[in-house]
Amino acid sequence: MQPKRPALGRGLDSLIAMDDAPARGTSAINDIEISRISPNPDQPRRLFDEEALEELSRSIRELGIIQPLSLRKTGPDTYQIIAGERRYRAAMMAGLTTVPAYIRTANDTELTEMALIENIQREDLNAIEIALTFKKLIDQYNLTQERLSERIGKKRTTIANFLRLLRLPAEVQLGLRDRRIDMGHARALLSIDDPKFQLRLYNEIVKQGLSVRRVEELAKKYQQAALEGKKPENDNRRFSNNDYDILKDHLSQRFSTPVKLTCDASGKGKISFSFRDEAELERLIAIFDTAKQ
């Protein structure tokens, strides 16, 4: 019986080490010709910020590459990137002909896993890129979520939550990829079964900048309306009922008097200040006059 393979998420210093030290393979840093290096086609990261690349390129021109790339040998004089594609691209922009690199040993499965973990640890990947890579590992290597969890050192529930994102409409996935919404918004949208309602609420998030809490409230209304066979009512408020309660309490404390705040589904409402006598009214007027200045 073969010993259980350790999870890549554990003891990463000995495997990927955030590019600061070699894993399996030589401990020496080699100068490798850029022309002999090719990117990893299974690299999880798909988007590279051109402005950030140019900044890194300028730094490389002045200081060189501080952290060596991690490569694996694919032929007598050819190499493939395990980690460091951003540095590779910036080095080419800077006009370098060689880059420092560790040469590591990795099969195809390990290559994808190592690239995934390296990017996740650096927080370079967006949620959709992570989800797609999880799916690729599961499909290509016939893994269960539990087995993938063991391989990369991530909780199975974490993997499941990322995979659920791929059930969202394509437009919503693009919004998550481009960071127009975040994971909290996406999780709230997933609580709605109907893709039409998901898209409708997604567009409201983007248009109005809704908070996650507000989206959770609206998602419950959408889902309930769908279960009852009704069309969800328009509710264009940006803030939740809890947000309004907090604002009301804040105003009451700021003006030292009871405040009433009402708001309808369109976002229209009114704020009422109570006062006991004319002296208190004058005090409030003085505060309002100060605020106008």
Side-chain angles (χ1 to χ4, degrees):
M1 181 177 177
Q2 292 183 343
K4 187 176 180 181
R5 182 177 181 271
L8 292 182
R10 305 184 189 93
L12 284 173
D13 287 342
S14 65
L15 184 59
I16 352 180
M18 297 299 290
D19 290 348
D20 290 328
R24 291 176 296 154
T26 176
S27 61
I29 298 176
N30 304 271
D31 283 324
I32 306 297
E33 293 182 21
I34 286 183
S35 61
R36 300 185 183 279
I37 301 172
S38 62
N40 172 13
D42 292 325
Q43 154 73 271
R45 187 179 186 186
R46 297 301 180 192
L47 301 177
F48 292 86
D49 185 285
E50 290 298 322
E51 184 176 344
L53 275 178
E54 182 57 42
E55 290 179 0
L56 179 58
S57 176
R58 289 196 294 268
S59 173
I60 287 174
R61 288 191 195 101
E62 296 179 8
L63 304 173
I65 295 179
I66 306 301
Q67 294 178 315
L69 282 69
S70 295
L71 309 176
R72 73 163 178 171
K73 201 159 188 169
T74 55
D77 292 304
T78 57
Y79 304 87
Q80 190 175 78
I81 298 173
I82 293 177
E85 183 170 343
R86 184 167 173 269
R87 276 159 283 158
Y88 162 78
R89 289 173 178 244
M92 287 196 296
M93 291 174 64
L96 270 62
T97 57
T98 64
V99 292
Y102 295 116
I103 310 303
R104 302 179 178 181
T105 302
N107 60 35
D108 289 341
T109 308
E110 293 169 331
L111 178 66
T112 304
E113 291 173 342
M114 292 163 73
L116 172 65
I117 296 172
E118 194 266 349
N119 279 287
I120 289 176
Q121 285 206 342
R122 290 177 179 273
E123 299 183 348
D124 283 344
L125 297 183
N126 61 60
I128 293 299
E129 287 173 329
I130 294 174
L132 288 171
T133 304
F134 283 162
K135 187 176 187 302
K136 179 181 179 65
L137 286 167
I138 287 172
D139 293 345
Q140 186 167 336
Y141 302 109
N142 196 28
L143 301 174
T144 63
Q145 291 184 19
E146 189 66 35
R147 182 58 178 148
L148 179 60
S149 169
E150 295 173 357
R151 293 286 288 267
I152 66 173
K154 290 285 182 182
K155 292 181 179 178
R156 193 199 63 78
T157 52
T158 299
I159 293 172
N161 286 335
F162 274 105
L163 291 174
R164 289 178 66 225
L165 299 176
L166 301 179
R167 291 161 41 192
L168 290 167
E171 185 178 345
V172 180
Q173 291 188 39
L174 289 174
L176 186 56
R177 183 200 69 179
D178 297 336
R179 295 185 168 88
R180 290 194 289 270
I181 62 173
D182 59 29
M183 281 286 285
H185 294 113
R187 281 193 292 268
L189 291 175
L190 281 166
S191 67
I192 302 172
D193 293 330
D194 193 324
K196 291 185 297 184
F197 290 163
Q198 289 177 332
L199 276 172
R200 177 175 167 179
L201 184 49
Y202 164 74
N203 288 324
E204 290 184 29
I205 296 170
V206 174
K207 182 179 179 180
Q208 301 181 41
L210 301 178
S211 68
V212 172
R213 179 176 294 175
R214 181 62 181 146
V215 175
E216 290 172 345
E217 290 185 353
L218 291 175
K220 289 180 180 178
K221 291 182 180 180
Y222 274 45
Q223 186 65 2
Q224 186 61 39
L227 291 173
E228 296 173 357
K230 299 178 181 178
K231 183 178 179 181
E233 297 179 2
N234 287 326
D235 190 338
N236 297 320
R237 296 182 302 168
R238 179 171 181 175
F239 302 108
S240 67
N241 291 333
N242 185 64
D243 292 330
Y244 283 115
D245 288 340
I246 293 174
L247 176 58
K248 182 176 66 175
D249 291 341
H250 172 74
L251 291 173
S252 296
Q253 293 177 12
R254 172 66 179 83
F255 291 93
S256 301
T257 191
V259 173
K260 291 184 179 180
L261 189 155
T262 59
C263 183
D264 61 23
S266 69
K268 296 180 180 179
K270 63 180 180 180
I271 300 175
S272 302
F273 294 84
S274 300
F275 53 90
R276 292 186 300 270
D277 49 37
E278 291 184 349
E280 187 166 16
L281 173 60
E282 291 178 352
R283 180 182 65 81
L284 291 173
I285 291 174
I287 296 176
F288 294 146
D289 287 341
T290 302
K292 285 195 300 182
Q293 298 174 4

mmCIF file of all heavy atoms in Angstrom, residues 61-97:
data_model
loop_
_atom_site.group_PDB
_atom_site.id
_atom_site.type_symbol
_atom_site.label_atom_id
_atom_site.label_comp_id
_atom_site.label_asym_id
_atom_site.label_seq_id
_atom_site.Cartn_x
_atom_site.Cartn_y
_atom_site.Cartn_z
ATOM 1 N N ARG A 61 13.874 46.372 -14.644
ATOM 2 C CA ARG A 61 14.949 47.064 -15.359
ATOM 3 C C ARG A 61 15.965 47.647 -14.380
ATOM 4 O O ARG A 61 17.167 47.654 -14.631
ATOM 5 C CB ARG A 61 14.376 48.190 -16.229
ATOM 6 C CG ARG A 61 13.607 47.727 -17.454
ATOM 7 C CD ARG A 61 13.311 48.903 -18.379
ATOM 8 N NE ARG A 61 12.293 48.557 -19.359
ATOM 9 C CZ ARG A 61 11.017 48.900 -19.277
ATOM 10 N NH1 ARG A 61 10.604 49.619 -18.227
ATOM 11 N NH2 ARG A 61 10.158 48.543 -20.197
ATOM 12 N N GLU A 62 15.458 48.163 -13.258
ATOM 13 C CA GLU A 62 16.334 48.822 -12.294
ATOM 14 C C GLU A 62 16.993 47.839 -11.326
ATOM 15 O O GLU A 62 18.174 47.971 -11.006
ATOM 16 C CB GLU A 62 15.533 49.857 -11.490
ATOM 17 C CG GLU A 62 14.992 50.999 -12.332
ATOM 18 C CD GLU A 62 14.186 51.984 -11.502
ATOM 19 O OE1 GLU A 62 14.186 51.851 -10.261
ATOM 20 O OE2 GLU A 62 13.550 52.875 -12.090
ATOM 21 N N LEU A 63 16.222 46.868 -10.835
ATOM 22 C CA LEU A 63 16.706 46.005 -9.757
ATOM 23 C C LEU A 63 16.920 44.557 -10.173
ATOM 24 O O LEU A 63 17.521 43.783 -9.415
ATOM 25 C CB LEU A 63 15.717 46.044 -8.582
ATOM 26 C CG LEU A 63 15.398 47.425 -8.013
ATOM 27 C CD1 LEU A 63 14.291 47.315 -6.978
ATOM 28 C CD2 LEU A 63 16.647 48.044 -7.404
ATOM 29 N N GLY A 64 16.395 44.181 -11.338
ATOM 30 C CA GLY A 64 16.452 42.783 -11.721
ATOM 31 C C GLY A 64 15.304 42.011 -11.084
ATOM 32 O O GLY A 64 14.465 42.572 -10.389
ATOM 33 N N ILE A 65 15.268 40.703 -11.312
ATOM 34 C CA ILE A 65 14.225 39.848 -10.735
ATOM 35 C C ILE A 65 14.689 39.370 -9.367
ATOM 36 O O ILE A 65 15.705 38.675 -9.262
ATOM 37 C CB ILE A 65 13.930 38.649 -11.662
ATOM 38 C CG1 ILE A 65 13.334 39.148 -12.986
ATOM 39 C CG2 ILE A 65 12.973 37.672 -10.991
ATOM 40 C CD1 ILE A 65 13.031 38.046 -13.974
ATOM 41 N N ILE A 66 13.977 39.761 -8.328
ATOM 42 C CA ILE A 66 14.358 39.422 -6.953
ATOM 43 C C ILE A 66 14.027 37.970 -6.639
ATOM 44 O O ILE A 66 14.832 37.242 -6.050
ATOM 45 C CB ILE A 66 13.649 40.350 -5.941
ATOM 46 C CG1 ILE A 66 13.915 41.816 -6.293
ATOM 47 C CG2 ILE A 66 14.114 40.042 -4.531
ATOM 48 C CD1 ILE A 66 15.373 42.195 -6.317
ATOM 49 N N GLN A 67 12.840 37.521 -7.028
ATOM 50 C CA GLN A 67 12.399 36.151 -6.745
ATOM 51 C C GLN A 67 12.505 35.312 -8.018
ATOM 52 O O GLN A 67 11.848 35.615 -9.011
ATOM 53 C CB GLN A 67 10.959 36.127 -6.240
ATOM 54 C CG GLN A 67 10.784 36.786 -4.884
ATOM 55 C CD GLN A 67 9.329 36.770 -4.444
ATOM 56 O OE1 GLN A 67 8.447 37.079 -5.230
ATOM 57 N NE2 GLN A 67 9.098 36.411 -3.206
ATOM 58 N N PRO A 68 13.300 34.261 -8.016
ATOM 59 C CA PRO A 68 13.434 33.423 -9.211
ATOM 60 C C PRO A 68 12.106 32.786 -9.598
ATOM 61 O O PRO A 68 11.231 32.563 -8.760
ATOM 62 C CB PRO A 68 14.443 32.351 -8.777
ATOM 63 C CG PRO A 68 15.172 32.959 -7.621
ATOM 64 C CD PRO A 68 14.181 33.826 -6.922
ATOM 65 N N LEU A 69 11.952 32.495 -10.874
ATOM 66 C CA LEU A 69 10.797 31.757 -11.351
ATOM 67 C C LEU A 69 10.942 30.299 -10.961
ATOM 68 O O LEU A 69 12.034 29.843 -10.618
ATOM 69 C CB LEU A 69 10.675 31.853 -12.876
ATOM 70 C CG LEU A 69 10.108 33.148 -13.484
ATOM 71 C CD1 LEU A 69 11.053 34.318 -13.300
ATOM 72 C CD2 LEU A 69 9.816 32.940 -14.976
ATOM 73 N N SER A 70 9.850 29.552 -11.026
ATOM 74 C CA SER A 70 9.888 28.108 -10.844
ATOM 75 C C SER A 70 9.517 27.470 -12.176
ATOM 76 O O SER A 70 8.443 27.756 -12.720
ATOM 77 C CB SER A 70 8.903 27.656 -9.759
ATOM 78 O OG SER A 70 9.293 28.181 -8.512
ATOM 79 N N LEU A 71 10.400 26.630 -12.704
ATOM 80 C CA LEU A 71 10.190 26.017 -14.005
ATOM 81 C C LEU A 71 10.302 24.504 -13.902
ATOM 82 O O LEU A 71 10.889 23.971 -12.973
ATOM 83 C CB LEU A 71 11.244 26.504 -15.020
ATOM 84 C CG LEU A 71 11.467 28.013 -15.160
ATOM 85 C CD1 LEU A 71 12.613 28.276 -16.129
ATOM 86 C CD2 LEU A 71 10.193 28.706 -15.629
ATOM 87 N N ARG A 72 9.723 23.823 -14.866
ATOM 88 C CA ARG A 72 9.971 22.390 -15.010
ATOM 89 C C ARG A 72 10.514 22.155 -16.418
ATOM 90 O O ARG A 72 10.155 22.858 -17.365
ATOM 91 C CB ARG A 72 8.713 21.561 -14.779
ATOM 92 C CG ARG A 72 7.686 21.635 -15.895
ATOM 93 C CD ARG A 72 6.698 20.492 -15.789
ATOM 94 N NE ARG A 72 5.667 20.572 -16.826
ATOM 95 C CZ ARG A 72 4.786 19.617 -17.067
ATOM 96 N NH1 ARG A 72 4.779 18.508 -16.332
ATOM 97 N NH2 ARG A 72 3.882 19.747 -18.023
ATOM 98 N N LYS A 73 11.348 21.153 -16.559
ATOM 99 C CA LYS A 73 11.972 20.857 -17.844
ATOM 100 C C LYS A 73 10.993 20.079 -18.710
ATOM 101 O O LYS A 73 10.388 19.100 -18.270
ATOM 102 C CB LYS A 73 13.245 20.053 -17.629
ATOM 103 C CG LYS A 73 14.219 20.115 -18.788
ATOM 104 C CD LYS A 73 15.625 19.747 -18.345
ATOM 105 C CE LYS A 73 16.584 20.005 -19.475
ATOM 106 N NZ LYS A 73 17.989 19.915 -19.048
ATOM 107 N N THR A 74 10.817 20.503 -19.960
ATOM 108 C CA THR A 74 9.924 19.812 -20.882
ATOM 109 C C THR A 74 10.667 19.197 -22.056
ATOM 110 O O THR A 74 10.080 18.479 -22.866
ATOM 111 C CB THR A 74 8.856 20.783 -21.420
ATOM 112 O OG1 THR A 74 9.501 21.923 -22.012
ATOM 113 C CG2 THR A 74 7.934 21.246 -20.302
ATOM 114 N N GLY A 75 11.965 19.489 -22.176
ATOM 115 C CA GLY A 75 12.787 18.960 -23.262
ATOM 116 C C GLY A 75 14.238 19.213 -22.942
ATOM 117 O O GLY A 75 14.574 19.736 -21.866
ATOM 118 N N PRO A 76 15.148 18.860 -23.858
ATOM 119 C CA PRO A 76 16.582 19.051 -23.598
ATOM 120 C C PRO A 76 16.938 20.485 -23.225
ATOM 121 O O PRO A 76 17.755 20.709 -22.339
ATOM 122 C CB PRO A 76 17.227 18.646 -24.935
ATOM 123 C CG PRO A 76 16.243 17.721 -25.561
ATOM 124 C CD PRO A 76 14.889 18.232 -25.173
ATOM 125 N N ASP A 77 16.307 21.448 -23.897
ATOM 126 C CA ASP A 77 16.609 22.858 -23.616
ATOM 127 C C ASP A 77 15.337 23.699 -23.556
ATOM 128 O O ASP A 77 15.359 24.882 -23.896
ATOM 129 C CB ASP A 77 17.552 23.427 -24.686
ATOM 130 C CG ASP A 77 18.939 22.811 -24.623
ATOM 131 O OD1 ASP A 77 19.562 22.868 -23.552
ATOM 132 O OD2 ASP A 77 19.371 22.248 -25.648
ATOM 133 N N THR A 78 14.244 23.095 -23.134
ATOM 134 C CA THR A 78 12.983 23.840 -23.044
ATOM 135 C C THR A 78 12.385 23.678 -21.648
ATOM 136 O O THR A 78 12.578 22.652 -20.986
ATOM 137 C CB THR A 78 11.960 23.360 -24.089
ATOM 138 O OG1 THR A 78 11.727 21.952 -23.911
ATOM 139 C CG2 THR A 78 12.459 23.632 -25.500
ATOM 140 N N TYR A 79 11.632 24.720 -21.231
ATOM 141 C CA TYR A 79 11.097 24.744 -19.872
ATOM 142 C C TYR A 79 9.669 25.301 -19.896
ATOM 143 O O TYR A 79 9.289 26.064 -20.785
ATOM 144 C CB TYR A 79 11.969 25.612 -18.968
ATOM 145 C CG TYR A 79 13.410 25.184 -18.936
ATOM 146 C CD1 TYR A 79 14.311 25.655 -19.895
ATOM 147 C CD2 TYR A 79 13.881 24.302 -17.968
ATOM 148 C CE1 TYR A 79 15.638 25.249 -19.882
ATOM 149 C CE2 TYR A 79 15.198 23.903 -17.945
ATOM 150 C CZ TYR A 79 16.071 24.369 -18.911
ATOM 151 O OH TYR A 79 17.389 23.958 -18.902
ATOM 152 N N GLN A 80 8.901 24.934 -18.871
ATOM 153 C CA GLN A 80 7.536 25.430 -18.714
ATOM 154 C C GLN A 80 7.406 26.057 -17.333
ATOM 155 O O GLN A 80 7.967 25.574 -16.358
ATOM 156 C CB GLN A 80 6.533 24.290 -18.884
ATOM 157 C CG GLN A 80 5.083 24.761 -18.980
ATOM 158 C CD GLN A 80 4.157 23.593 -19.267
ATOM 159 O OE1 GLN A 80 3.837 22.821 -18.366
ATOM 160 N NE2 GLN A 80 3.747 23.455 -20.518
ATOM 161 N N ILE A 81 6.643 27.132 -17.256
ATOM 162 C CA ILE A 81 6.507 27.874 -15.999
ATOM 163 C C ILE A 81 5.584 27.135 -15.037
ATOM 164 O O ILE A 81 4.479 26.750 -15.401
ATOM 165 C CB ILE A 81 5.957 29.290 -16.256
ATOM 166 C CG1 ILE A 81 6.923 30.091 -17.122
ATOM 167 C CG2 ILE A 81 5.698 30.016 -14.941
ATOM 168 C CD1 ILE A 81 6.373 31.439 -17.568
ATOM 169 N N ILE A 82 6.074 26.945 -13.825
ATOM 170 C CA ILE A 82 5.228 26.463 -12.732
ATOM 171 C C ILE A 82 4.670 27.663 -11.979
ATOM 172 O O ILE A 82 3.482 27.753 -11.713
ATOM 173 C CB ILE A 82 6.016 25.560 -11.761
ATOM 174 C CG1 ILE A 82 6.420 24.262 -12.464
ATOM 175 C CG2 ILE A 82 5.188 25.254 -10.516
ATOM 176 C CD1 ILE A 82 7.276 23.353 -11.595
ATOM 177 N N ALA A 83 5.531 28.593 -11.634
ATOM 178 C CA ALA A 83 5.114 29.806 -10.924
ATOM 179 C C ALA A 83 5.992 30.958 -11.374
ATOM 180 O O ALA A 83 7.212 30.802 -11.498
ATOM 181 C CB ALA A 83 5.221 29.611 -9.417
ATOM 182 N N GLY A 84 5.369 32.109 -11.618
ATOM 183 C CA GLY A 84 6.134 33.291 -11.995
ATOM 184 C C GLY A 84 5.822 33.828 -13.377
ATOM 185 O O GLY A 84 6.637 34.549 -13.953
ATOM 186 N N GLU A 85 4.646 33.524 -13.922
ATOM 187 C CA GLU A 85 4.358 33.996 -15.279
ATOM 188 C C GLU A 85 4.309 35.520 -15.339
ATOM 189 O O GLU A 85 4.699 36.123 -16.343
ATOM 190 C CB GLU A 85 3.036 33.418 -15.787
ATOM 191 C CG GLU A 85 2.738 33.841 -17.221
ATOM 192 C CD GLU A 85 1.569 33.113 -17.848
ATOM 193 O OE1 GLU A 85 1.170 32.055 -17.326
ATOM 194 O OE2 GLU A 85 1.050 33.607 -18.872
ATOM 195 N N ARG A 86 3.860 36.137 -14.270
ATOM 196 C CA ARG A 86 3.812 37.611 -14.268
ATOM 197 C C ARG A 86 5.223 38.188 -14.370
ATOM 198 O O ARG A 86 5.470 39.124 -15.132
ATOM 199 C CB ARG A 86 3.119 38.090 -12.995
ATOM 200 C CG ARG A 86 2.924 39.596 -12.909
ATOM 201 C CD ARG A 86 1.964 39.949 -11.780
ATOM 202 N NE ARG A 86 1.895 41.376 -11.570
ATOM 203 C CZ ARG A 86 2.665 42.060 -10.742
ATOM 204 N NH1 ARG A 86 3.560 41.413 -10.012
ATOM 205 N NH2 ARG A 86 2.540 43.358 -10.610
ATOM 206 N N ARG A 87 6.168 37.609 -13.636
ATOM 207 C CA ARG A 87 7.560 38.056 -13.730
ATOM 208 C C ARG A 87 8.147 37.764 -15.105
ATOM 209 O O ARG A 87 8.935 38.532 -15.647
ATOM 210 C CB ARG A 87 8.391 37.371 -12.640
ATOM 211 C CG ARG A 87 8.334 38.063 -11.283
ATOM 212 C CD ARG A 87 8.725 37.129 -10.155
ATOM 213 N NE ARG A 87 7.642 36.202 -9.831
ATOM 214 C CZ ARG A 87 7.832 35.048 -9.221
ATOM 215 N NH1 ARG A 87 9.052 34.663 -8.887
ATOM 216 N NH2 ARG A 87 6.813 34.281 -8.942
ATOM 217 N N TYR A 88 7.752 36.631 -15.660
ATOM 218 C CA TYR A 88 8.201 36.249 -17.013
ATOM 219 C C TYR A 88 7.739 37.277 -18.036
ATOM 220 O O TYR A 88 8.530 37.738 -18.877
ATOM 221 C CB TYR A 88 7.649 34.854 -17.318
ATOM 222 C CG TYR A 88 7.619 34.447 -18.765
ATOM 223 C CD1 TYR A 88 8.776 34.026 -19.426
ATOM 224 C CD2 TYR A 88 6.414 34.461 -19.483
ATOM 225 C CE1 TYR A 88 8.730 33.635 -20.761
ATOM 226 C CE2 TYR A 88 6.360 34.065 -20.805
ATOM 227 C CZ TYR A 88 7.517 33.656 -21.447
ATOM 228 O OH TYR A 88 7.471 33.264 -22.762
ATOM 229 N N ARG A 89 6.476 37.668 -17.966
ATOM 230 C CA ARG A 89 5.946 38.649 -18.911
ATOM 231 C C ARG A 89 6.620 40.010 -18.735
ATOM 232 O O ARG A 89 6.957 40.693 -19.704
ATOM 233 C CB ARG A 89 4.432 38.797 -18.719
ATOM 234 C CG ARG A 89 3.618 37.586 -19.177
ATOM 235 C CD ARG A 89 2.149 37.738 -18.802
ATOM 236 N NE ARG A 89 1.348 36.628 -19.272
ATOM 237 C CZ ARG A 89 0.369 36.733 -20.175
ATOM 238 N NH1 ARG A 89 0.092 37.908 -20.709
ATOM 239 N NH2 ARG A 89 -0.323 35.673 -20.547
ATOM 240 N N ALA A 90 6.794 40.410 -17.463
ATOM 241 C CA ALA A 90 7.424 41.706 -17.199
ATOM 242 C C ALA A 90 8.881 41.709 -17.637
ATOM 243 O O ALA A 90 9.393 42.720 -18.119
ATOM 244 C CB ALA A 90 7.323 42.043 -15.713
ATOM 245 N N ALA A 91 9.563 40.576 -17.474
ATOM 246 C CA ALA A 91 10.962 40.471 -17.901
ATOM 247 C C ALA A 91 11.072 40.638 -19.407
ATOM 248 O O ALA A 91 12.007 41.292 -19.906
ATOM 249 C CB ALA A 91 11.542 39.127 -17.472
ATOM 250 N N MET A 92 10.129 40.053 -20.157
ATOM 251 C CA MET A 92 10.149 40.231 -21.613
ATOM 252 C C MET A 92 9.898 41.688 -21.973
ATOM 253 O O MET A 92 10.540 42.231 -22.881
ATOM 254 C CB MET A 92 9.088 39.332 -22.252
ATOM 255 C CG MET A 92 9.451 37.855 -22.242
ATOM 256 S SD MET A 92 8.438 36.875 -23.398
ATOM 257 C CE MET A 92 6.815 37.089 -22.648
ATOM 258 N N MET A 93 8.975 42.342 -21.250
ATOM 259 C CA MET A 93 8.716 43.757 -21.502
ATOM 260 C C MET A 93 9.957 44.598 -21.205
ATOM 261 O O MET A 93 10.212 45.605 -21.864
ATOM 262 C CB MET A 93 7.543 44.240 -20.645
ATOM 263 C CG MET A 93 6.195 43.654 -21.040
ATOM 264 S SD MET A 93 4.855 44.113 -19.879
ATOM 265 C CE MET A 93 4.806 45.887 -20.097
ATOM 266 N N ALA A 94 10.726 44.172 -20.210
ATOM 267 C CA ALA A 94 11.934 44.906 -19.824
ATOM 268 C C ALA A 94 13.105 44.631 -20.757
ATOM 269 O O ALA A 94 14.156 45.264 -20.637
ATOM 270 C CB ALA A 94 12.319 44.542 -18.395
ATOM 271 N N GLY A 95 12.938 43.670 -21.664
ATOM 272 C CA GLY A 95 13.994 43.372 -22.626
ATOM 273 C C GLY A 95 15.046 42.397 -22.140
ATOM 274 O O GLY A 95 16.109 42.264 -22.752
ATOM 275 N N LEU A 96 14.774 41.680 -21.047
ATOM 276 C CA LEU A 96 15.734 40.691 -20.544
ATOM 277 C C LEU A 96 15.804 39.498 -21.501
ATOM 278 O O LEU A 96 14.805 39.134 -22.124
ATOM 279 C CB LEU A 96 15.339 40.199 -19.152
ATOM 280 C CG LEU A 96 15.885 40.981 -17.940
ATOM 281 C CD1 LEU A 96 15.385 42.415 -17.964
ATOM 282 C CD2 LEU A 96 15.478 40.292 -16.645
ATOM 283 N N THR A 97 16.978 38.915 -21.595
ATOM 284 C CA THR A 97 17.137 37.719 -22.425
ATOM 285 C C THR A 97 17.209 36.461 -21.574
ATOM 286 O O THR A 97 16.982 35.361 -22.076
ATOM 287 C CB THR A 97 18.404 37.817 -23.289
ATOM 288 O OG1 THR A 97 19.542 38.016 -22.428
ATOM 289 C CG2 THR A 97 18.288 38.990 -24.265
#
